[in-house]
Amino acid sequence: MGSYIARRTLAAAISLAGVSLMTFLLVFLVPGDPAEMVAQARFGHGVVEWEIEMVRRTEGLDRPLAVQYLKWVSHLLQLDLGHSLINRQPVMSLICSRLPATLLLACSSLLLSLLAGVPAGVIAAVKKGTRLDSVLRIIALAGVSVPGFWLSYLLIIVFALKLKLLPVGGYGTLANLVMPSVVLAAGMAGLTARLLRASLLEVLQQDYIRAAVANGLSNSKILWKYALKNALLPVVTVIGLRVGMLLSGTVIIESIYGWPGLGKLMLDSIYTRDFPVVQGCVLVSAACFILLNTCVELIYAWLDPRIRWGTGR
Amino acid sequence: MGNRKVIAIMLLEIRNLTVRYRRSGDDWDRPAVSGLWVAVEQGEKLAVVGESGAGKTTIAHAVMGILPPMTRVEGEIVYRGQRIDSRMPEGIRGKEIVLIPQNAYNSLNPVLPAGTQLEDLQAEDGVPSPLRRQQLRSMLQRVRLTDPDAVLASFPHQLSGGMKQRVLLAMGLLREPRLIIADEPTKGLDPVRRLGVLELLKDLLAQKQQSLMLITHDIRAAVFLCDTVVMMYRGELVEKLPVSRLYEYSSHPYTIALLNASPQRGLQAGQNAGNGISTGGRGCSYVACCSQSVPVCGQERPVWREIYPGHLVRCHVVA
């Protein structure tokens, strides 16, 4: 188990190094001269040639890329992501001010989706072929297929404008959290329920389940102890990926509800061409994603001992 | 077979069992088992012998009540005077009647340690947790697993095929059942391990007055472990005889063909060419492959005839 964790951590570190290089190059890949962008932000529009040259010198943009990258990484290791071009604030503090909102939204929608999706999937599988199964499957399908922005506006119209139960948008109270969480959870819950149902139905046909039935174990023990752990593997993969996306900020939903998360910060800084902030957001999102994938792999190992000891099926 | 009981106590009776699997919708397969009568006495060791597809495993699953949901079952299964086919009474499945399943490789749960899976059975019987480990250790030693603690801590993928089979034997015997249904207990094992498992089973059963229903395609395993053999062909029984008569006095053409067929050469008894007598579904089930068939075989279903005490045959040709 120890060596497994070490291997996964090493893989994560390598991915992170790759991500840092890609993020660094981002600035040079977008059209336009970075020095000009900085100068424009600093001196206003209509900058002249010598101002751009001055920025190029002072910011070290005339040095070879490799040197610039190493310098950037050394700053990065000290958690210095540079300063915003717009308001001169350190990028790190900007991101840190937005991260709690994103984390809160991600956690609440994950929790909500599991609370709805897991029981729905289990019930649908156990009651396969009944009317309850059909109803649950249709709801799940709807959850997966309905676009988030459409559901957002629908909820706003019904609960905020017509019934006046919830605020249209904003951040701060529990009431603000409800609608964006529900919208984000809907898709995930639907996906969880559908995947879990399919996976559980397959597991329930396995020889070891039949053997457990023949051994006279109770139905609930067979379902929750013998079947569910096996059935969760594919579900964990997909949930992990979805939560990774949530952590990197959900641009559209955060914009609709005016939710001050990472996604909104990234979108705003793309509009203002504030590239250090964009870089920072991309880097943090990617880091979250990698962290989460590593977590998923550790959960795998906990669920399936065959992975832990490095022997395939 | 020295001490035959005066009054035979029927432990399990299968009366006129017919099982059909559904293919799709209202489309049913030909019966996997049809019109089957079998009885197992207290302490009797009975072998059900036939080739794959004969319906042997279906019998085992029907008795255990673990047939798939889309199955039509007719007839009665009676255990100690109590019907168990429509509803399995509490405390019989897995406790009084156990199944040692066919597929050792996939019959243990891959994500739970062997010890946990054994302990769950003890929990079913209310064995207090401090006593469990000790009981398991001695059980595993009985099935000749030399390092019980290591086996208990292992996940199934860490055990070899032979070890998994022994763990399954331990699971079956742990609760001191009256009837053990062993479904091809040596499947997938090499010849040396196969013999090892059979000898082990024989020793374990000799210690207790337990009944065995051995399901196998291997006549030698049946001879080694059992005292009665029933031959099964395409869902029907064709001959029932004491093991002592098997090699010299077996009479049904199918039994003889199976005895002559050598598993090493992959020859199957059912693949012999028949005499070209066709049946409209009314005649003998073996007629198409029977080398001794006569015209009546294609027209009439043979009835049971006792040609010697305890030796029954279902064939027109056998006089």
Side-chain angles (χ1 to χ4, degrees):
Chain A
M1 189 74 193
S3 80
Y4 178 79
I5 296 175
R7 265 182 291 145
R8 293 316 350 144
T9 314
L10 184 67
I14 292 170
S15 310
L16 266 178
V19 163
S20 77
L21 184 63
M22 293 301 288
T23 317
F24 169 75
L25 290 176
L26 204 63
V27 185
F28 301 91
L29 293 175
V30 294
D33 179 1
E36 194 181 333
M37 283 190 257
V38 177
Q40 268 179 3
R42 215 169 270 179
F43 307 115
H45 288 279
V47 285
V48 289
E49 194 63 32
W50 69 266
E51 284 171 328
I52 296 173
E53 277 312 309
M54 193 184 77
V55 168
R56 205 186 299 282
R57 292 268 166 73
T58 54
E59 299 291 320
L61 290 167
D62 53 345
R63 314 280 294 276
L65 269 186
V67 176
Q68 289 188 48
Y69 174 63
L70 288 177
K71 190 176 151 218
W72 186 75
V73 168
S74 74
H75 282 269
L76 184 63
L77 290 175
Q78 299 160 47
L79 296 180
D80 175 11
L81 288 168
H83 290 71
S84 160
L85 297 181
I86 306 301
N87 53 20
R88 299 286 170 84
Q89 272 184 298
V91 173
M92 206 57 190
S93 65
L94 269 176
I95 288 175
C96 286
S97 70
R98 299 300 189 94
L99 211 50
T102 292
L103 282 178
L104 179 65
L105 188 55
C107 291
S108 69
S109 43
L110 172 66
L111 197 67
L112 213 57
S113 73
L114 290 181
L115 283 178
V118 172
V122 171
I123 292 168
V126 173
K127 304 270 175 198
K128 185 195 166 204
T130 63
R131 191 165 294 173
L132 182 61
D133 176 31
S134 312
V135 170
L136 285 172
R137 280 166 76 190
I138 290 169
I139 295 173
L141 186 64
V144 176
S145 344
V146 164
F149 69 89
W150 183 82
L151 187 59
S152 304
Y153 285 122
L154 189 76
L155 291 183
I156 289 176
I157 290 169
V158 175
F159 291 99
L161 303 181
K162 292 272 198 282
L163 299 174
K164 298 200 191 310
L165 284 174
L166 295 166
V168 175
Y171 175 66
T173 66
L174 198 62
N176 293 114
L177 185 62
V178 175
M179 279 198 286
S181 303
V182 168
V183 170
L184 289 174
M188 278 200 341
L191 200 62
T192 308
R194 287 173 61 81
L195 269 172
L196 190 56
R197 177 183 181 274
S199 167
L200 201 53
L201 284 177
E202 200 190 307
V203 168
L204 287 174
Q205 287 183 358
Q206 296 293 316
D207 287 343
Y208 53 81
I209 297 296
R210 192 160 43 199
V213 176
N215 279 333
L217 296 182
S218 68
N219 283 339
S220 64
K221 194 167 205 169
I222 289 170
L223 181 65
W224 297 105
K225 187 167 178 180
Y226 281 67
L228 195 61
K229 216 175 153 191
N230 284 289
L232 275 178
L233 275 173
V235 182
V236 168
T237 318
V238 175
I239 303 266
L241 288 175
R242 292 292 286 243
V243 174
M245 281 186 237
L246 286 183
L247 281 183
S248 56
T250 44
V251 178
I252 294 170
I253 306 302
E254 286 186 1
S255 300
I256 290 174
Y257 288 104
W259 190 263
L262 268 188
K264 194 154 186 307
L265 177 67
M266 179 142 57
L267 193 67
D268 291 344
S269 41
I270 289 170
Y271 283 143
T272 56
R273 305 192 81 182
D274 193 350
F275 74 81
V277 182
V278 177
Q279 259 181 337
C281 288
V282 170
L283 197 66
V284 169
S285 306
C288 286
F289 209 85
I290 290 168
L291 187 71
L292 216 85
N293 269 312
T294 309
C295 289
V296 165
E297 275 163 348
L298 295 179
I299 294 175
Y300 265 7
W302 170 70
L303 285 173
D304 192 340
R306 285 164 296 189
I307 295 169
R308 223 176 295 167
W309 276 279
T311 46
R313 273 163 186 262
Chain B
M1 252 143 294
N3 56 340
R4 262 199 102 72
K5 277 174 241 80
V6 183
I7 307 161
I9 306 157
M10 283 308 163
L11 190 65
L12 181 79
E13 274 181 89
I14 298 173
R15 298 176 185 154
N16 202 15
L17 180 74
T18 300
V19 180
R20 276 169 218 267
Y21 294 112
R22 174 141 69 178
R23 205 173 278 166
S24 64
D26 236 9
D27 184 13
W28 297 84
D29 272 331
R30 80 170 170 82
V33 169
S34 83
L36 185 103
W37 296 74
V38 176
V40 183
E41 290 170 28
Q42 183 90 50
E44 186 184 8
K45 318 283 191 259
L46 175 88
V48 181
V49 178
E51 292 156 292
S52 50
K56 308 185 299 285
T57 298
T58 300
I59 302 177
H61 287 184
V63 173
M64 297 308 295
I66 54 169
L67 288 167
M70 297 295 150
T71 313
R72 187 189 286 166
V73 184
E74 288 153 38
E76 293 179 5
I77 299 171
V78 179
Y79 173 75
R80 305 226 294 163
Q82 194 179 11
R83 275 189 72 169
I84 58 168
D85 48 301
S86 48
R87 203 187 62 82
M88 179 68 79
E90 284 283 308
I92 289 182
R93 180 155 66 190
K95 190 165 165 58
E96 298 222 3
I97 309 176
V98 300
L99 175 69
I100 295 169
Q102 186 174 45
N103 183 350
Y105 284 85
N106 202 22
S107 289
L108 289 168
N109 197 315
V111 303
L112 298 172
T116 306
Q117 300 185 49
L118 281 156
E119 275 187 40
D120 279 344
L121 301 183
Q122 293 174 312
E124 247 1 84
D125 294 347
V127 178
S129 359
L131 301 180
R132 289 181 193 168
R133 282 277 142 168
Q134 194 45 51
Q135 193 189 347
L136 289 183
R137 269 189 217 111
S138 64
M139 187 68 234
L140 290 186
Q141 271 157 355
R142 267 183 73 199
V143 298
R144 300 197 196 127
L145 283 163
T146 42
D147 189 356
D149 286 301
V151 172
L152 290 175
S154 297
F155 286 96
H157 74 275
Q158 295 169 306
L159 301 171
S160 70
M163 288 164 97
K164 274 184 229 183
Q165 192 62 62
R166 274 154 210 265
V167 170
L168 288 169
L169 276 182
M171 283 180 108
L173 296 170
L174 184 65
R175 301 164 83 183
E176 311 243 313
R178 286 174 195 272
L179 173 62
I180 297 159
I181 302 177
D183 188 1
E184 301 276 13
T186 56
K187 196 177 186 178
L189 299 179
D190 60 64
V192 176
R193 294 217 171 74
R194 190 177 304 157
L195 190 62
V197 167
L198 289 178
E199 278 175 342
L200 176 61
L201 204 52
K202 193 178 179 115
D203 284 358
L204 292 169
L205 292 175
Q207 293 164 19
K208 302 252 157 75
Q209 263 297 304
Q210 285 167 318
S211 303
L212 172 73
M213 186 194 261
L214 175 72
I215 286 170
T216 185
H217 64 275
D218 184 0
I219 287 188
R220 289 165 305 171
V223 171
F224 187 73
L225 278 177
C226 299
D227 27 58
T228 312
V229 176
V230 292
M231 301 300 299
M232 194 168 182
Y233 180 77
R234 278 173 69 94
E236 288 180 15
L237 295 191
V238 294
E239 184 163 13
K240 178 185 177 185
L241 72 171
V243 159
S244 54
R245 288 179 63 86
L246 185 70
Y247 284 119
E248 281 164 83
Y249 300 105
S250 56
S251 325
H252 196 282
Y254 176 67
T255 314
I256 293 165
L258 201 63
L259 281 168
N260 291 334
S262 153
Q264 279 83 13
R265 280 182 285 143
L267 187 72
Q268 299 235 308
Q271 285 168 353
N272 291 348
N275 288 352
I277 296 168
S278 68
T279 161
R282 289 169 294 129
C284 172
S285 58
Y286 188 54
V287 67
C289 299
C290 186
S291 56
Q292 298 174 37
S293 56
V294 291
V296 68
C297 298
Q299 288 148 15
E300 258 178 63
R301 194 148 272 225
V303 291
W304 284 107
R305 244 173 317 156
E306 190 160 23
I307 58 171
Y308 183 86
H311 186 168
L312 291 90
V313 187
R314 207 175 173 187
C315 180
H316 289 297
V317 182
V318 176

